[in-house]
Amino acid sequence: MDDQLALRIRLFREGGQVPPEVADFVIAELTALETEGRTITEESAGMLTSHLMMALTRLLGGAPIGEFVTDEQVAAELTDHPEAVERARRVSVRAHAELGASLPESEINFLALHLAVLAQQPTH
């Protein structure tokens, strides 16, 4: 993880926008991706990081996350990326086990979209 992405996470945490356990969970997920050879930087994973931290924070706070008008379009985009969808589902399972936050299908799809884009980046 580069310094800029670490700063993004620190600002979310220190600014009180996300609970520490959410930031820790996201760091663990990013570390796992990096261990697999993915390049995890502000440029490659900044949006993934923010999206996941905010979605988990909203869920833990009891905020409903409804369906989006683009859900079908996003799902269609993911037909060529089943590995990203499966990875997003595993993240959701871990989030439920560790945080008590279950990502709804629309959030799983958006997470999968971020993961599919990340998978297309050159590895290190």
Side-chain angles (χ1 to χ4, degrees), residues 9-92:
I9 295 168
R10 193 169 73 245
L11 290 173
F12 269 98
R13 183 193 303 252
E14 291 174 2
Q17 292 176 285
V18 300
E21 62 270 19
V22 168
D24 292 343
F25 178 85
V26 172
I27 290 169
E29 292 298 322
L30 295 172
T31 300
L33 287 163
E34 198 165 44
T35 300
E36 294 170 10
R38 296 284 163 221
T39 302
I40 304 299
T41 64
E42 172 66 21
E43 184 178 341
S44 69
M47 294 306 295
L48 163 67
T49 300
S50 292
H51 186 107
L52 185 55
M53 285 197 299
M54 295 310 296
L56 291 171
T57 298
R58 286 191 309 269
L59 288 166
L60 288 176
I65 297 179
E67 292 185 16
F68 300 99
V69 294
T70 57
D71 281 349
E72 288 182 25
Q73 183 180 4
V74 170
E77 286 286 326
L78 291 169
T79 57
D80 292 336
H81 303 282
E83 67 291 338
V85 175
E86 180 54 35
R87 174 89 185 223
R89 289 190 192 291
R90 290 194 314 269
V91 170
S92 180

